[in-house]
Amino acid sequence: MADLSVVIPIYNEEGNIPVLYERLTAVLEGMHITYQLIFINDGSRDRSMELLHGLATKDARVKYIDFSRNFGHQVALSAGLDRTQGEAVVMMDADLQDPPELLVELYQKYKEGYEVVYARRRSRQGETYFKKSATLVFYRLLARMSSIEIPLDTGDFRIIDHKVVEMLRRMPEKIKYLRGQISWIGFRQTSIEYDRPERYAGETGYSFRKLMGLALDGITGFSDVPLKIVTYFGLIVTGFAFIMTIYVLYSWFSQSDLVQGWSSLMITVLFIGGVQMIAIGIIGEYLSRIHSNVRNRPLYVIRDSNF
Ligand code: UDP
Ligand code: MG
């Protein structure tokens, strides 16, 4: 059992792997602890896997898991967590946006007795204005909608105790939102702050679609508020319809020529139609996640590994 396992998902990171490995080993050697590096190749289409093979042959502390295809960042992290042997586990990105040098401080805090130490972004460079404002809004929205406390402005970069890892392994959900799950688990949690640099090489593997998917997984996994909103809205609309009914009946009795009101009719029909569609969509989001869990397929498929 090593002191520390470092879990790193890899998706087209050929430009980062050599530097990452150099900086990581330099830092870890300096810390005088035993460690293992676990790389999960999440269906890269570049030379990432070749580079990982190279590292593994020259360094026995390098472990790799090669997925059969791209399963996504959260699943890759989960696969790594399924196999860590460290007393403590660090999760970090491969693109050096999570600086390896921060491991010293993370480990220190961990040694002070915190089971979870996450790195909070004080600032972030090289991110589009749109992405920054979208995440800003999203995390605050999620914080208000969920009953558990998910720390603001943090990604998955953190150190966690093996007790937390064991709990994560026991959580059966197929839709992974690790930062939410870790908040749910509890224990003593604290944070350190850092300025997030730009990606060192290559391009982001998080397309807009993947990012939206992650956001939806976070909301549906940790909040029922959207469903409640639908219910409340339904109640309000029903109440309004009731009042309208009284008005319509009254008009019918008191007036003789009643063929007017095409506009109001159309507006009502279109509006209610739209609201209903949204409501069904929200229910569908939850339903599809229930479906994923019920299907109970394996979370990922491994082609090859040196464990
Ligand atoms: N990643 C992954 N699978 C994916 C997308 C990303 O394993 O489908 C990895 C990627 O290699 C990196 C980490 O997840 O180590 C974070 O991804 P990225 O830097 O592209 O996201 P961003 O920092 O732009 O949000
Ligand atoms: Mg990145």
Side-chain angles (χ1 to χ4, degrees), residues 13 93-98 127 131 196 198-199 203-206:
E13 303 283 12
D93 290 356
D95 57 2
L96 296 162
Q97 287 197 287
D98 301 335
E127 223 87 67
K131 188 168 176 183
R196 190 154 219 246
E198 266 181 72
R199 165 176 265 280
E203 282 162 28
T204 176
Y206 259 103

Side-chain angles (χ1 to χ4, degrees), residues 200-248:
Y200 179 77
E203 282 162 28
T204 176
Y206 259 103
S207 58
F208 181 72
R209 224 178 99 206
K210 279 185 190 170
L211 215 54
M212 287 304 288
L214 184 69
L216 271 176
D217 288 346
I219 292 175
T220 51
F222 292 91
S223 173
D224 288 334
V225 169
L227 291 174
K228 294 207 173 93
I229 291 175
V230 170
T231 312
Y232 289 135
F233 208 88
L235 282 174
I236 292 169
V237 170
T238 310
F240 187 70
F242 185 70
I243 294 166
M244 278 302 284
T245 309
I246 292 171
Y247 171 73
V248 167

Side-chain angles (χ1 to χ4, degrees), residues 11-306:
Y11 180 59
N12 299 337
E13 303 283 12
E14 61 180 1
N16 295 312
I17 291 169
V19 191
L20 173 71
Y21 176 77
E22 288 309 321
R23 275 172 64 178
L24 254 181
T25 39
V27 170
L28 290 165
E29 297 292 343
M31 285 164 70
H32 304 290
I33 52 172
T34 54
Y35 65 90
Q36 58 172 180
L37 305 178
I38 302 175
F39 294 94
I40 303 92
N41 179 37
D42 187 15
S44 298
R45 291 163 204 278
D46 63 0
R47 293 182 49 245
S48 294
M49 196 56 231
E50 256 176 75
L51 296 176
L52 294 180
H53 277 138
L55 292 180
T57 38
K58 75 170 191 205
D59 186 344
R61 291 167 303 194
V62 172
K63 302 281 170 204
Y64 63 81
I65 298 165
D66 188 17
F67 277 178
S68 64
R69 62 171 170 85
N70 180 254
F71 280 90
H73 177 223
Q74 297 290 306
V75 175
L77 279 173
S78 305
L81 291 172
D82 283 344
R83 281 168 190 73
T84 54
Q85 290 147 333
E87 195 69 43
V89 174
V90 163
M91 295 188 263
M92 67 188 291
D93 290 356
D95 57 2
L96 296 162
Q97 287 197 287
D98 301 335
E101 292 70 28
L102 236 61
L103 291 199
V104 179
E105 206 183 327
L106 283 174
Y107 195 71
Q108 255 168 18
K109 276 269 178 211
Y110 164 75
K111 277 291 173 191
E112 280 172 28
Y114 294 98
E115 279 93 355
V116 178
V117 187
Y118 47 89
R120 186 197 290 265
R121 302 182 281 255
R122 201 185 299 128
S123 68
R124 46 200 318 199
Q125 273 130 47
E127 223 87 67
T128 61
Y129 182 75
F130 171 76
K131 188 168 176 183
K132 272 197 265 196
S133 19
T135 48
L136 189 101
V137 173
F138 169 73
Y139 282 115
R140 276 147 191 88
L141 197 72
L142 184 59
R144 297 202 59 172
M145 288 195 328
S146 63
S147 48
I148 55 156
E149 235 175 272
I150 300 172
L152 294 173
D153 307 315
T154 57
D156 289 305
F157 188 25
R158 58 188 66 202
I159 189 167
I160 57 180
D161 188 71
H162 68 96
K163 287 200 288 275
V164 179
V165 176
E166 273 148 38
M167 270 318 296
L168 284 173
R169 286 180 193 159
R170 282 175 50 195
M171 291 169 91
E173 53 238 71
K174 299 288 171 187
I175 313 281
K176 300 291 181 186
Y177 191 64
L178 290 166
R179 48 200 96 154
Q181 291 175 253
I182 291 172
S183 294
W184 182 90
I185 291 171
F187 288 123
R188 275 157 300 181
Q189 311 209 352
T190 189
S191 66
I192 61 168
E193 294 210 321
Y194 76 114
D195 297 298
R196 190 154 219 246
E198 266 181 72
R199 165 176 265 280
Y200 179 77
E203 282 162 28
T204 176
Y206 259 103
S207 58
F208 181 72
R209 224 178 99 206
K210 279 185 190 170
L211 215 54
M212 287 304 288
L214 184 69
L216 271 176
D217 288 346
I219 292 175
T220 51
F222 292 91
S223 173
D224 288 334
V225 169
L227 291 174
K228 294 207 173 93
I229 291 175
V230 170
T231 312
Y232 289 135
F233 208 88
L235 282 174
I236 292 169
V237 170
T238 310
F240 187 70
F242 185 70
I243 294 166
M244 278 302 284
T245 309
I246 292 171
Y247 171 73
V248 167
L249 284 179
Y250 168 80
S251 308
W252 192 73
F253 280 118
S254 62
Q255 284 163 262
S256 49
D257 49 344
L258 248 187
V259 197
Q260 263 185 1
W262 181 81
S263 326
S264 57
L265 199 64
M266 282 310 280
I267 291 170
T268 315
V269 169
L270 291 176
F271 182 69
I272 303 290
V275 167
Q276 277 177 339
M277 221 98 95
I278 295 170
I280 292 170
I282 292 174
I283 296 167
E285 291 292 339
Y286 284 87
L287 192 69
S288 81
R289 282 160 179 82
I290 296 171
H291 187 215
S292 291
N293 281 300
V294 171
R295 266 194 316 230
N296 203 20
R297 284 185 191 152
L299 199 56
Y300 48 83
V301 181
I302 294 176
R303 176 193 294 137
D304 180 29
S305 149
N306 66 345

